[in-house]
Amino acid sequence: MDYFKDLQFIQGANLPDRRSYHALRTFDNYYTIHYCHAGEFFLQVDDSAELASSMPCAFLAFPGAKFTYGNPHEPYHHLYVCFRGELAETWRAGGLLRCLRKDMLIPIFNSADFFNKFARLIQLLQSPHRNRSHARAVLLLAELLLQMAEQQQQHFNRSNPFAPKMNDLIKKIHRTPEQEWDFRHEAKQMNISYSYFRKVFEELYQEPPHHYLLQCRLQKAEYLLIDNELTIYEVALACGFQDEFYFSRLFRKNYGVSPLKYRKERLIEL
């Protein structure tokens, strides 16, 4: 049966080495989820203030506004998918699309899960048998939108007095995940116990601090693996892993393939 025929996908792509900056882009009669998985990303909607994020972030582009986005100076890992149809308008009328504010970049805290779902959606759209997998693609799209809405709400609900300091720490971790981060020291800098630091961190970002750090290191590794001049060992060291074999096991556990296979697949895409 032709499930979800009232939603059409226009296009989608997974671009691990995107080098572009779109000025005053419009999206007529369709919607687009944009996701920056790694690198610094900028967004400006109409005449609002420019936003910037160095952590994984997403936004929804829609008809009726002008979007300026990307990075004019450095590459970034960009995924996007465009869609339209009666189901999309039903989602908007029901609040799922409307609740995604146009004036913010939504931080994606569980970025490995979000990336894997997004990459799988794009694989389905690019498959020669895409018509057979249309229903699964629609369900993945709905899951991504729901996750964006939930994480946006979590972002708004952060009333903990230590949230601003935690957000500053998160930004620093994303800039230099390869550093030897001492979270007990960070807790001391905030004048709180490590147990309370960990509790607040997990409430804000849904992961323990050391696990979050590992995800940031793996995100950097994704980007460095595109550079075929670096050995796997050099990539591991550049991302804060002293043991190449531990790095490879961890990478495979999170992405389903070895670093070497991931590199080969991405080089073919480029």
Side-chain angles (χ1 to χ4, degrees):
M1 296 180 65
D2 189 7
Y3 300 112
F4 305 119
K5 62 182 180 180
D6 49 352
L7 188 135
Q8 299 85 46
F9 290 100
I10 303 171
Q11 62 179 335
N14 181 354
L15 306 169
D17 192 29
R18 190 69 182 269
R19 300 170 185 266
S20 64
Y21 188 68
H22 300 274
L24 302 176
R25 174 81 181 273
T26 59
F27 296 82
D28 297 328
N29 302 316
Y30 66 95
Y31 302 88
T32 303
I33 299 179
H34 293 274
Y35 172 49
C36 177
H37 185 56
E40 191 166 18
F41 193 82
F42 299 89
L43 170 67
Q44 183 177 14
V45 184
D46 293 330
D47 296 324
S48 63
E50 183 180 65
L51 306 171
S53 177
S54 57
M55 65 181 292
C57 58
F59 75 94
L60 178 71
F62 52 86
K66 294 180 180 179
F67 296 83
T68 298
Y69 61 93
N71 189 322
H73 308 297
E74 299 175 355
Y76 57 98
H77 192 161
H78 184 209
L79 296 87
Y80 71 89
V81 63
C82 309
F83 60 96
R84 65 185 172 201
E86 293 180 11
L87 182 56
E89 299 307 322
T90 299
W91 286 345
R92 184 170 187 174
L96 181 57
L97 300 187
R98 191 170 61 245
C99 71
L100 298 175
R101 287 177 44 176
K102 69 178 184 179
D103 57 347
M104 75 168 293
L105 284 169
I106 301 171
I108 303 298
F109 300 111
N110 192 354
S111 55
D113 177 68
F114 193 84
F115 171 81
N116 288 334
K117 289 174 181 173
F118 213 134
R120 176 59 178 158
L121 169 57
I122 292 170
Q123 287 176 350
L124 292 177
L125 298 183
Q126 295 176 343
S127 167
H129 309 293
R130 58 179 295 179
N131 290 336
R132 300 180 193 172
S133 54
H134 180 76
R136 294 190 180 277
V138 173
L139 292 174
L140 279 171
L141 174 65
E143 178 64 27
L144 291 174
L145 289 167
L146 182 60
Q147 190 168 338
M148 288 170 65
E150 291 173 342
Q151 300 214 358
Q152 176 179 268
Q153 190 60 45
Q154 290 168 2
H155 179 79
F156 289 145
N157 288 344
R158 286 178 184 154
S159 57
N160 189 289
F162 291 99
K165 291 183 178 180
M166 289 289 188
N167 287 334
D168 288 340
L169 175 60
I170 285 294
K171 292 176 183 178
K172 293 177 183 177
I173 291 173
H174 276 277
R175 292 191 190 102
T176 55
E178 70 280 0
Q179 286 188 9
E180 291 296 326
W181 288 94
D182 183 345
F183 293 114
R184 293 185 181 275
H185 173 74
E186 297 298 332
K188 188 175 181 180
Q189 292 293 102
M190 297 181 190
N191 294 316
I192 57 177
S193 67
Y194 175 68
S195 60
Y196 185 66
F197 171 91
R198 181 186 171 97
K199 178 177 182 293
V200 173
F201 194 102
E202 290 192 45
E203 287 178 351
L204 293 176
Y205 308 113
Q206 294 79 58
E207 290 181 306
H210 286 92
H211 187 266
Y212 193 95
L213 174 61
L214 288 177
Q215 296 302 317
C216 291
R217 288 178 172 177
L218 290 174
Q219 288 164 17
K220 181 173 182 177
E222 286 182 68
Y223 174 72
L224 293 180
L225 285 169
I226 300 169
D227 186 348
N228 203 28
E229 295 182 359
L230 295 176
T231 66
I232 302 301
Y233 176 67
E234 289 171 334
V235 170
L237 284 181
C239 297
F241 297 100
Q242 301 303 314
D243 186 334
E244 176 184 352
F245 299 102
Y246 171 67
F247 162 67
S248 296
R249 288 198 303 272
L250 192 63
F251 193 94
R252 181 188 290 274
K253 180 180 178 180
N254 279 266
Y255 296 101
V257 295
S258 68
L260 185 59
K261 186 174 181 180
Y262 182 90
R263 164 177 281 171
K264 290 178 179 179
E265 291 176 350
R266 292 300 176 268
L267 289 176
I268 291 174
E269 291 177 2
L270 292 173

